Amino acid sequence: MAKHSETERTDEEEIQNDDVVGKALKWSAMFLVLGAVVVGAALILTRKPDEVVQDVAPPTAIPQVRDRPQVEIPNIPFTEVTSAAGIGFRHQNGAAGEKLLPETMGGGGAFLDFDNDGDQDLLCVNSRAWETGESPDEQPATSALYANDGTGQFTNVTAGSGLDISLYGNGCACGDVDNDGDVDIFVSCLGKNVLFRNDGNGKFVDVTAAAGVAGEDNAWSTSCGFVDIDLDGDLDLFVCNYIQWDRQTDLGMNFTLDGKLRAYGRPTDFRGAFPCLYLNDGTGVFSDHSQQSGVQVTDPNTGVPMAKSLGVIFPDLNADGYPDIMVANDTVQNFLFLSQADGTFVESAASSGVAYDNAGAARGAMGLDYGCFRNTDSVGIAIGNFATEMTALYVCQTPGTALPVFRDEAVSNGIGPVTRTDLKFGVLFLDMDLDGRQDLVENNGHLEEDIQLVQSSQQYEQAPHLLWNCGAEQDNEFVMLTEAQTSTDFRTRMVGRGLTAADIDGDGDLDLMLFSSGGVPRLLRNEQQLDHHWLRVRLQGRTCNRDAIGAMVQIELPNGAVLTRSVMPTRSYQSQVELPVTFGLGKSGSIDRLTITWPGGQQQVVESPEVNQLLVIEQQQESGN
């Protein structure tokens, strides 16, 4: 969440167009030269005293939507199959007219294989009614776990699973924290967080107290993720916390849209909150290393926590083999914690160019993702921002260096102008048409039901985005696909929040799950029929963590292209994607080589793997061990 209509900046203030600014500077220079000539002539002819001549540059215009590139844009249709697939979940956010801030920020979940049968199951995280608003005649809302039969048909198996308890849940992290072969589930909450240990046979046990990851009683936790921070072979846990919030303070503030209508509060009116980093001892017991690790940043002006964190990813940006931590913050600068390979981090967002927009202003950042979307070693980081703020696309200009330097290229490659209007939450790099290039998908929705009464350009329900990757050789690198190219089912408006993806039916392409705040999610089956080849890879660690989270997979194609994917389920907004990675191969029917870099640096090569299959690869025992 970021700002409301009365505090939103105008389009001219929000959007910076490098091209227009450049032209303005050129015109300014021309006017200055002309002015100097005129003044000089006046001095010579009239001998009047010197005059100060000031010149005003033309006003900066907002960026325009660029022309579509001269390439054949594919149809990537989707069919909405939520109910037909057996999913009957509805998100309960507790909204009953009081307009309490947490009501509008929830809605996340995950694809995971909780029963180890090889297909992708689904977890939908739920919040609940506020205690004062619960009806004794109604069953309290709980999260929902759905088992996939392998064809994309789901069965609700929540009852009796141990997950059927009422929480004010927001997001989740999935990973095998005790390396016993079963994926465990952490749920981030308003209030104490919960870790559920998977004991097999569809049963989960609350082990939060013993694990030491509950957090503070009054914390508001959002996105979270498991990753092996110290490369000791087990999964550690990072938890984003949003703001310091309580019900009484929220109700006591006179938040309005127009001076009359009660509105949801602004994060600028609340103090920030520190994120938490927990290190695993290998048995699923964690210790809090937040303070000594350097991930807790205070505001130098106030001394209070600076972070207002909503999204997190774990790329290795300084190429030292250890995961770094990128945090998307709302209305304050983003954070980039670069690993020092000793359990500590240095916050480097400003020096790396990912803290602010191109004008040096903080944005309302929600979800984020990263990927080698140009099929080079230059990583891109996409961040979904608030309404009237473009999606950011920070592209690394110095890959493989100790201090990565990024530039926001959203305007130049076509993403910026077409994403500016909507309020973006879930963001994912995905190859939706299997052509070998990663596209960008966004789940969108506003915070206020009544926003259109005060801002005609906005709507509460908004359509998702599919920005197709045309290739770096095109002037316009991304284009927004239309309803005709994606289907009415895809472009249906909703109050979108979290976003996740998996191949639910085993056909090789990626399907989407779009979560909602206070509504029903939407499962969208990918119906593309472009006859592109593909390869899906599922890794099993032996000396590294069992899920191989943090591994890098590269494939080399006969045409010389090198495609890179990372095993990193923590992406998007309060959500997790499946563990297998998907490579679209386009028309290439063969692969020269597949190379895995496991967490810790061990490399493993598979020569000429067959295409159009799910390839399961177990980590080889290193020689001498």
Side-chain angles (χ1 to χ4, degrees):
M1 175 194 138
K3 312 166 248 328
H4 291 284
S5 59
E6 74 273 26
T7 59
E8 287 172 357
R9 290 169 282 182
T10 62
D11 289 345
E12 287 78 9
E13 292 170 328
E14 285 289 341
I15 307 303
Q16 299 296 320
N17 186 318
D18 294 338
D19 294 337
V20 175
V21 171
K23 292 178 180 178
L25 291 173
K26 290 179 182 179
W27 277 108
S28 297
M30 291 173 63
F31 282 129
L32 287 172
V33 172
L34 180 59
V37 172
V38 171
V39 172
L43 285 172
I44 294 172
L45 295 175
T46 66
R47 303 294 183 181
K48 289 183 179 180
D50 290 347
E51 296 181 14
V52 178
V53 178
Q54 291 186 329
D55 190 52
V56 179
T60 300
I62 64 172
Q64 300 299 311
V65 177
R66 295 168 179 262
D67 293 335
R68 289 180 178 270
Q70 298 302 309
V71 294
E72 184 177 353
I73 301 175
N75 290 330
I76 311 176
F78 293 83
T79 300
E80 201 266 297
V81 296
T82 316
S83 179
I87 297 169
F89 178 79
R90 175 178 286 273
H91 183 257
Q92 164 65 278
N93 60 11
E98 291 181 306
K99 293 287 185 78
L100 299 173
L101 187 50
E103 296 168 358
T104 195
M105 302 302 289
F111 281 114
L112 72 163
D113 185 6
F114 80 90
D115 50 8
N116 289 328
D117 64 353
D119 53 45
Q120 299 305 309
D121 309 306
L122 177 66
L123 173 68
C124 301
V125 176
N126 215 343
S127 302
R128 64 182 179 192
W130 302 107
E131 285 77 6
T132 57
E134 291 198 86
S135 169
D137 299 325
E138 296 179 359
Q139 291 294 319
T142 72
S143 298
L145 181 66
Y146 292 90
N148 189 349
D149 69 357
T151 70
Q153 289 295 312
F154 293 84
T155 301
N156 191 329
V157 295
T158 313
S161 68
L163 300 175
D164 48 347
I165 61 175
S166 183
L167 304 164
Y168 204 99
N170 293 306
C172 61
C174 306
D176 186 357
V177 301
D178 49 10
N179 278 324
D180 67 348
D182 297 312
V183 61
D184 309 298
I185 297 172
F186 176 86
V187 178
S188 62
C189 299
L190 179 67
K192 286 190 174 182
N193 302 314
V194 183
L195 176 62
F196 296 97
R197 186 186 66 213
N198 188 341
D199 282 351
N201 298 315
K203 302 297 182 183
F204 292 82
V205 177
D206 182 347
V207 295
T208 314
V213 292
E216 300 295 329
D217 291 350
N218 59 349
W220 178 352
S221 300
T222 55
S223 291
C224 48
F226 288 116
V227 63
D228 189 356
I229 286 291
D230 48 11
L231 300 184
D232 63 352
D234 54 48
L235 292 175
D236 309 303
L237 175 65
F238 187 89
V239 181
C240 292
N241 290 309
Y242 187 33
I243 56 174
Q244 298 178 38
W245 180 89
D246 64 83
R247 180 190 184 97
Q248 292 71 28
T249 300
D250 197 334
L251 287 173
M253 294 185 181
N254 187 28
F255 299 118
T256 67
L257 283 176
D258 59 355
K260 298 177 182 178
L261 289 171
R262 167 76 178 176
Y264 287 107
R266 301 178 298 268
T268 51
D269 292 307
F270 296 88
R271 288 188 172 188
F274 287 135
C276 294
L277 175 61
Y278 301 96
L279 297 187
N280 190 345
D281 71 356
T283 68
V285 176
F286 295 80
S287 55
D288 190 338
H289 280 243
S290 308
Q291 187 173 7
Q292 59 265 48
S293 67
V295 300
Q296 295 188 335
V297 180
T298 57
D299 187 320
N301 298 315
T302 63
V304 302
M306 181 185 292
K308 298 180 180 180
S309 304
L310 290 175
V312 64
I313 51 175
F314 306 111
D316 177 13
L317 298 177
N318 61 359
D320 65 352
Y322 286 77
D324 305 308
I325 305 172
M326 175 81 190
V327 175
N329 284 318
D330 188 4
T331 71
V332 298
Q333 71 159 79
N334 301 316
F335 291 153
L336 174 55
F337 297 109
L338 293 178
S339 173
Q340 303 302 291
D342 60 0
T344 66
F345 296 83
V346 173
E347 203 295 296
S348 308
S351 55
S352 291
V354 295
Y356 307 102
D357 66 12
N358 285 338
R363 291 185 274 203
M366 310 296 175
L368 75 169
D369 195 9
Y370 71 101
C372 297
F373 69 95
R374 287 177 178 157
N375 293 334
T376 68
D377 57 357
S378 186
V379 174
I381 298 174
I383 302 181
N385 291 311
F386 197 73
T388 76
E389 297 175 339
M390 296 181 293
T391 295
L393 184 60
Y394 298 105
V395 182
C396 187
Q397 311 297 309
T398 59
T401 61
L403 179 63
V405 176
F406 289 78
R407 183 175 64 222
D408 189 349
E409 300 183 6
V411 171
S412 62
N413 64 26
I415 285 179
V418 295
T419 61
R420 179 181 57 84
T421 301
D422 293 331
L423 202 170
K424 290 76 62 181
F425 278 90
V427 176
L428 285 175
F429 280 115
L430 302 166
D431 186 355
M432 299 309 301
D433 59 343
L434 301 177
D435 67 349
R437 297 186 297 267
Q438 289 181 301
D439 312 304
L440 191 66
V441 183
E442 298 181 317
N443 194 14
N444 312 314
H446 211 281
L447 310 177
E448 295 284 355
E449 289 185 77
D450 301 316
I451 188 62
Q452 200 168 20
L453 297 178
V454 295
Q455 193 174 2
S456 60
S457 65
Q458 292 296 317
Q459 290 184 317
Y460 184 44
E461 295 183 332
Q462 298 178 354
H465 297 159
L466 174 48
L467 293 125
W468 181 65
N469 187 339
C470 312
E473 67 277 5
Q474 302 295 326
D475 291 336
N476 206 45
E477 201 166 354
F478 286 86
V479 294
M480 182 82 74
L481 296 194
T482 65
E483 181 176 311
Q485 293 157 338
T486 58
S487 76
T488 302
D489 281 1
F490 179 83
R491 291 288 295 176
T492 298
R493 295 177 180 271
M494 65 183 295
V495 186
R497 294 297 184 261
L499 168 67
T500 184
D503 179 8
I504 64 170
D505 48 12
D507 63 355
D509 56 31
L510 291 169
D511 310 294
L512 301 172
M513 185 69 173
L514 284 69
F515 296 103
S516 172
S517 175
V520 296
R522 292 167 54 213
L523 180 62
L524 297 172
R525 188 175 63 214
N526 190 339
E527 307 280 16
Q528 64 84 27
Q529 297 180 358
L530 299 169
D531 295 324
H532 288 160
H533 297 289
W534 51 272
L535 178 70
R536 287 170 49 77
V537 181
R538 172 74 165 92
L539 302 182
Q540 296 178 351
R542 295 180 64 184
T543 58
C544 73
N545 68 88
R546 176 186 172 275
D547 295 324
I549 291 175
M552 190 72 69
V553 186
Q554 288 187 324
I555 63 172
E556 301 170 43
L557 299 180
N559 63 4
V562 178
L563 312 185
T564 304
R565 304 286 185 269
S566 57
V567 180
M568 190 56 67
T570 301
R571 301 172 183 268
S572 185
Y573 173 78
Q574 298 187 155
S575 302
Q576 303 249 231
V577 301
E578 63 174 353
L579 278 173
V581 295
T582 296
F583 292 92
L585 307 177
K587 299 302 182 182
S588 179
S590 64
I591 298 170
D592 285 348
R593 185 177 297 103
L594 181 149
T595 303
I596 303 160
T597 304
W598 299 90
Q602 177 192 356
Q603 288 199 331
Q604 186 172 336
V605 176
V606 178
E607 298 288 349
S608 304
E610 295 293 325
V611 303
N612 301 334
Q613 65 161 327
L614 170 63
L615 181 61
V616 179
I617 303 175
E618 185 176 356
Q619 184 180 15
Q620 292 178 343
Q621 194 76 15
E622 292 187 271
S623 59
N625 292 339

